[in-house]
């Protein structure tokens, strides 16, 4: 036999590199090409993500007033204010009668609750209606009587229990309405009343609006209770905040502070 041939079964010679060998080598070559292509693509992606420079939008920071508020949407109500019981208990006495004028802070009724023995007037006005009498049992937040306050409107709104730690009676309130775009009306948070709405503990806010506010009873309005105000705070855009850090550009590179 000539050199370079192999003998197969049956005695016929077969030259190395036949169809089967060629197919096998072809598959191996294609697999190698795919592997090299994958490595090349990964290298390109790695360069793009880790080495390729990218552009960002930058802006200058400034100093100015910043206000933290608690927002609530409510309804403007006439000048009638509920006087709620400060705690659960039994009414042991009523110190006023319907039509009687009362002064802010004056005692209106007494309870048998040692921790909260008095029901006091949140505002000066006139007793419009008694909602409880002596020996009635009342729960915290239930109206004991209704006061009429001359010439003032109130804004009533509700907030969740999570907002309560930030709220204190006497805080300033800023009120806006779509009926008067661009205008801000002032008021004072006068009452925080616990209520239960569909099994959820919530708190009703009563804000006394300043005299002369042109809002009408029954209108919707937005209340912003001012929690904190800084007149010269550093102001940065929200887009500069990520994962609790402020991002700045130094030397052409983004840096987290």
């Amino acid at each position: 036999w000539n050199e370079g041939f192999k003998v197969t079964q049956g005695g016929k010679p077969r030259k190395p590199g036949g169809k089967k060998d060629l197919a096998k080598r072809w598959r191996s070559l294609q697999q190698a090409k795919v592997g090299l292509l994958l490595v090349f693509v990964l290298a390109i992606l790695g360069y793009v993500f880790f080495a390729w420079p990218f552009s960002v939008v930058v802006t200058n920071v400034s100093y100015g007033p910043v206000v933290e508020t608690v927002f609530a949407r409510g309804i403007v109500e006439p000048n009638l204010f509920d006087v709620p019981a400060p705690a659960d208990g039994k009414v042991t006495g009523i110190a006023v009668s319907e039509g009687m004028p009362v002064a802010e802070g004056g005692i209106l009724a007494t309870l048998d609750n040692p921790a909260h023995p008095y029901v006091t007037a949140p505002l000066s006005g006139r007793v419009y209606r008694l909602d409880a009498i002596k020996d009635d049992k009342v729960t915290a937040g239930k109206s004991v009587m209704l006061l009429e306050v001359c010439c003032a409107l109130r804004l009533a709104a509700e907030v969740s229990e999570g907002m309560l730690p930030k709220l204190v009676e006497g805080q300033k309130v800023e009120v806006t309405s779509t009926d008067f775009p661009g205008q801000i009306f002032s008021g004072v948070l006068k009452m925080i009343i616990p209520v239960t709405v569909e099994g959820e503990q919530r708190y009703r806010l009563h804000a006394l609006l300043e005299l002369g506010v042109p809002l009408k009873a029954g209108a919707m309005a937005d209340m912003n209770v001012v929690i904190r105000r800084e007149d010269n705070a550093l102001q940065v855009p929200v887009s500069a905040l990520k994962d609790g850090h402020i991002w700045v550009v130094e030397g052409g590179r983004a840096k987290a502070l």
Side-chain angles (χ1 to χ4, degrees):
W1 303 103
N2 293 331
E3 184 179 357
F5 284 79
K6 292 183 179 180
V7 178
T8 62
Q9 187 176 3
K12 293 183 180 182
R14 180 175 65 82
K15 188 175 182 178
K19 291 183 177 180
K20 292 184 177 179
D21 291 336
L22 288 175
K24 184 176 180 180
R25 291 179 181 179
W26 177 255
R27 287 194 299 270
S28 298
L29 180 61
Q30 294 303 314
Q31 291 173 353
K33 288 182 177 180
V34 171
L36 289 174
L37 180 61
L38 181 61
V39 171
F40 178 75
V41 170
L42 291 176
I44 293 296
L45 291 176
Y47 179 76
V48 169
F49 280 103
F50 297 103
W52 190 270
F54 59 92
S55 62
V56 295
V57 178
V58 297
T59 185
N60 294 324
V61 297
S62 60
Y63 288 87
V66 174
V67 181
E68 179 187 0
T69 64
V70 170
F71 172 82
R73 178 161 292 167
I75 300 177
V76 178
E77 297 181 343
N79 56 348
L80 298 177
F81 283 75
D82 290 315
V83 179
D88 296 351
K90 180 181 178 181
V91 178
T92 57
I94 300 290
V96 294
S97 59
E98 292 182 356
M100 181 181 294
V102 296
E104 182 174 352
I107 297 176
L108 306 178
T110 54
L111 302 177
D112 64 353
N113 189 310
H116 301 278
Y118 302 115
V119 178
T120 59
L123 301 164
S124 297
R126 182 177 66 89
V127 178
Y128 182 80
R129 185 186 69 211
L130 294 177
D131 293 329
I133 60 175
K134 184 179 179 181
D135 296 330
D136 278 355
K137 291 183 178 181
V138 295
T139 57
K142 181 181 178 182
S143 176
V144 177
M145 62 188 67
L146 199 62
L147 289 186
E148 182 180 26
V149 181
C150 177
C151 308
L153 294 173
R154 75 175 182 185
L155 181 61
E158 290 182 2
V159 296
S160 64
E161 189 175 10
M163 295 293 101
L164 183 62
K166 297 183 177 182
L167 298 172
V168 179
E169 292 178 356
Q171 288 171 320
K172 183 180 178 181
V173 172
E174 296 179 345
V175 177
T176 58
S177 171
T178 55
D179 294 334
F180 298 90
Q183 297 190 48
I184 300 177
F185 306 109
S186 298
V188 177
L189 181 61
K190 279 294 185 179
M191 302 176 68
I192 304 173
I193 306 170
V195 294
T196 301
V197 180
E198 296 181 353
E200 179 186 0
Q201 181 66 60
R202 298 182 64 81
Y203 289 84
R204 181 170 296 137
L205 309 181
H206 286 174
L208 183 65
L209 304 183
E210 63 183 359
L211 296 178
V213 169
L215 298 175
K216 302 294 185 182
M220 298 292 296
D222 293 337
M223 174 194 305
N224 283 287
V225 183
V226 179
I227 307 303
R228 185 173 57 132
R229 185 188 300 271
E230 297 291 342
D231 293 328
N232 195 34
L234 177 64
Q235 298 177 339
V236 298
V238 176
S239 58
L241 301 175
K242 185 177 180 181
D243 300 329
H245 297 281
I246 298 177
W247 286 80
V248 298
V249 176
E250 290 184 358
R253 292 181 177 274
K255 176 183 178 182
L257 298 180

